[in-house]
Amino acid sequence: MSTITESLLRFRESVHPTATLVAVSKTKPISDLEEAYDAGQRHLGENKIQEMTEKWETLPKDIHWHMIGHTQRNKVKYMAPYVHLIHSVDSPRLLKEINKQAKNNDRIINCLLQVHIAQEESKFGFDEQELIALLNDQAFKEYKNVQIKGLMGMATFTDKKDQVRTEFKSLAHTFKKIKEDHLLDSRHDFTELSMGMTGDYEIALEEGSTMVRIGSAIFGSRS
Ligand SMILES: *Cc1c(COP(=O)(O)O)cnc(C)c1O
């Protein structure tokens, strides 16, 4: 068995049944994705729309494509026909554009709202107040072509496990609050909490993750 197949099987086993494994294949060649496909992997994650679209065109159509990277509004139209879940919705304007392009394609696009939980400035996302403001906004309530499936967050890139855990806990808390306060209409099926990557997925699972995004531990490090 090759390394990709082996790591995939191992990971799928270790996250099942708590969470869905999204294998992050960004920067990797088609042959690596084919190998993952042959090992039964159907959820793949990419962070650039153009790269994801080229891979989608080439590979079998039963793959579920996850967009996990910061997205420019003018490129949403390229993935709108096929994307399975956009994890990285980080502004009201982006959500508006996704709704518009979903409507043009006669689809409902699944989205996660990205929450800023890390201490690093560079990570995108809403804070809790901005999130609540969005969910209460009348314009948002009229977006009929997006479904908000849950939240996504990235912890600080650090060896300090306590800090990572605190950040994931805060995301899980926000998730629970939105659910329990019924801030979303029931058609949204708010059930997914996307948190955890190669370096921190174990802590994420302990804190309630339902979706982990693993790249380098499956496909090897990126150059
Ligand atoms: C690249 C990336 C991942 C995967 O990172 P690894 O550390 O290689 O597992 C997960 N989430 C996001 C948003 C990414 O950009």
Side-chain angles (χ1 to χ4, degrees), residues 24 26 47 68-69 88 114 152 154 157 196-199 213-218 220 222:
V24 176
K26 62 190 188 196
N47 70 341
I68 62 172
S88 42
Q114 183 171 354
M152 181 272 234
M154 289 171 84
F157 188 72
M197 323 185 358
T198 294
R213 311 175 308 270
I214 311 286
S216 40
I218 294 170
R222 294 174 294 271

Side-chain angles (χ1 to χ4, degrees), residues 57-223:
E57 282 167 351
T58 311
L59 289 163
K61 293 295 175 282
D62 59 341
I63 294 173
H64 297 301
W65 293 98
H66 294 249
M67 173 43 60
I68 62 172
H70 178 64
T71 294
Q72 285 170 285
R73 279 175 291 139
N74 61 359
K75 294 192 178 150
V76 171
K77 57 179 178 285
Y78 302 114
M79 67 175 166
Y82 70 88
V83 67
H84 172 69
L85 177 63
I86 304 175
H87 292 230
S88 42
V89 178
D90 57 9
S91 73
R93 293 163 81 205
L94 176 60
L95 191 60
K96 181 178 181 188
E97 179 64 16
I98 296 169
N99 184 66
K100 178 178 158 193
Q101 297 300 338
K103 193 166 182 198
N104 287 346
N105 284 275
D106 208 10
R107 293 186 72 205
I108 291 174
I109 295 183
N110 297 321
C111 294
L112 302 179
L113 301 172
Q114 183 171 354
V115 184
H116 188 280
I117 52 171
Q119 282 187 349
E120 290 137 326
E121 280 293 321
S122 60
K123 287 181 180 152
F124 295 98
F126 294 95
D127 64 29
E128 194 178 280
Q129 271 183 325
E130 291 167 338
L131 209 55
I132 291 171
L134 170 72
L135 301 181
N136 285 316
D137 183 56
Q138 195 52 39
F140 164 73
K141 292 181 183 176
E142 281 158 23
Y143 296 163
K144 300 297 183 212
N145 291 77
V146 288
Q147 182 178 180
I148 308 299
K149 297 279 296 180
L151 302 180
M152 181 272 234
M154 289 171 84
T156 304
F157 188 72
T158 171
D159 288 335
K160 294 182 197 142
K161 291 197 172 7
D162 288 355
Q163 183 180 347
V164 170
R165 188 178 297 282
T166 303
E167 292 172 1
F168 285 150
K169 264 193 206 306
S170 108
L171 183 57
H173 180 267
T174 303
F175 178 72
K176 194 161 164 245
K177 176 170 171 166
I178 291 174
K179 231 181 148 98
E180 289 177 355
D181 293 354
H182 303 287
L183 294 180
L184 276 161
D185 170 329
S186 61
R187 74 172 188 88
H188 287 287
D189 184 31
F190 191 77
T191 50
E192 300 288 353
L193 187 51
S194 168
M195 56 185 199
M197 323 185 358
T198 294
D200 57 20
Y201 76 94
E202 285 155 312
I203 302 175
L205 288 171
E206 287 164 9
E207 298 305 329
S209 170
T210 67
M211 218 172 239
V212 292
R213 311 175 308 270
I214 311 286
S216 40
I218 294 170
F219 295 104
S221 58
R222 294 174 294 271
S223 41

